[in-house]
């Protein structure tokens, strides 16, 4: 079964030995990226890494969450990527003709992101400030710090419609 949210997924990864917690304070400027670079080069892509104390931020940081086929399949609620692919292909084949994005949305309708409960990993602010997030400066010649493929969940304050996007 697919996890409902990140707080439900992390204990599963930890129980499977696929998550490592780093409790030492680490710097988001070059240090975290150097650690991650070494880990992801391991056979199988290495474990997901949860940096609990990021210098200059009150937020933890998780990297390499989907860094192996096994973790990606687990996030999709399947034992293998082949099984997940087969489910999506079957659902797509059963949908009426139409725009590919609409067909994919229909095929995955039961796996839409769900709102994070108030007790979960959410943070509501009146005046957004991206500077409070543990963005990484990954390489010496980068133009600065970036949030790379961060899952950003937003909800319109009046209509309450939600969106999930991946941005850098």
């Amino acid at each position: 079964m697919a996890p409902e949210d990140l707080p439900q997924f992390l204990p599963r990864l930890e129980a499977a030995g696929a998550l490592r917690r780093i409790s030492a304070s680490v710097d988001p400027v070059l240090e975290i990226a150097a650690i991650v670079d070494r880990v992801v080069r391991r056979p199988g892509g290495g474990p997901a890494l949860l940096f609990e104390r990021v210098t200059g931020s009150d937020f933890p940081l998780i990297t390499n969450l989907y860094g192996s086929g096994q973790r990606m399949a687990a996030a999709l609620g399947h034992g293998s990527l082949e099984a997940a692919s087969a489910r999506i292909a079957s659902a797509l084949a059963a949908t009426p003709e139409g725009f590919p994005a609409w067909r994919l949305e229909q095929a995955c309708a039961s796996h839409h992101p769900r709102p994070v409960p108030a007790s979960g990993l959410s943070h509501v602010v009146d005046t957004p400030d991206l500077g409070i997030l543990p963005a990484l400066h990954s390489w010496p010649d980068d133009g600065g710090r970036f949030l790379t493929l961060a899952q950003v969940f937003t909800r319109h304050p009046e209509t309450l419609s939600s969106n999930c996007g991946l941005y850098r």
Side-chain angles (χ1 to χ4, degrees):
M1 174 176 277
E4 293 280 326
D5 52 29
L6 187 60
Q8 189 181 81
F9 190 41
L10 293 182
R12 291 182 189 182
L13 291 179
E14 198 161 28
L19 173 70
R20 297 291 184 272
R21 293 176 178 268
I22 292 111
S23 58
S25 182
V26 289
D27 196 325
V29 177
L30 303 178
E31 184 179 20
I32 291 176
I35 294 167
V36 172
D37 186 54
R38 288 184 187 107
V39 169
V40 301
R41 292 176 189 269
R42 294 180 183 170
L49 301 172
L50 178 58
F51 296 93
E52 296 175 324
R53 295 178 50 222
V54 179
T55 304
S57 179
D58 291 334
F59 293 92
L61 174 75
I62 188 157
T63 66
N64 203 29
L65 187 60
Y66 308 118
S68 75
Q70 189 174 14
R71 286 196 302 277
M72 180 62 80
L76 295 170
H78 290 280
S80 70
L81 284 179
E82 291 77 15
S85 296
R87 180 189 60 82
I88 292 170
S90 174
L92 281 173
T95 60
E97 291 298 319
F99 294 107
W102 178 85
R103 292 180 68 203
L104 184 59
E105 181 179 343
Q106 295 304 305
C108 299
S110 65
H111 287 73
H112 277 216
R114 292 167 178 83
V116 176
S119 62
L121 300 174
S122 64
H123 187 73
V124 178
V125 295
D126 292 324
T127 306
D129 177 6
L130 294 179
I132 66 173
L133 299 176
L136 300 183
H137 187 145
S138 298
W139 302 102
D141 292 333
D142 273 353
R145 295 169 63 183
F146 294 95
L147 298 170
T148 303
L149 290 180
Q151 295 175 331
V152 179
F153 293 87
T154 57
R155 179 174 297 140
H156 191 281
E158 295 169 3
T159 67
L160 301 180
S161 63
S162 61
N163 180 60
C164 175
L166 300 174
Y167 310 98
R168 180 174 194 212

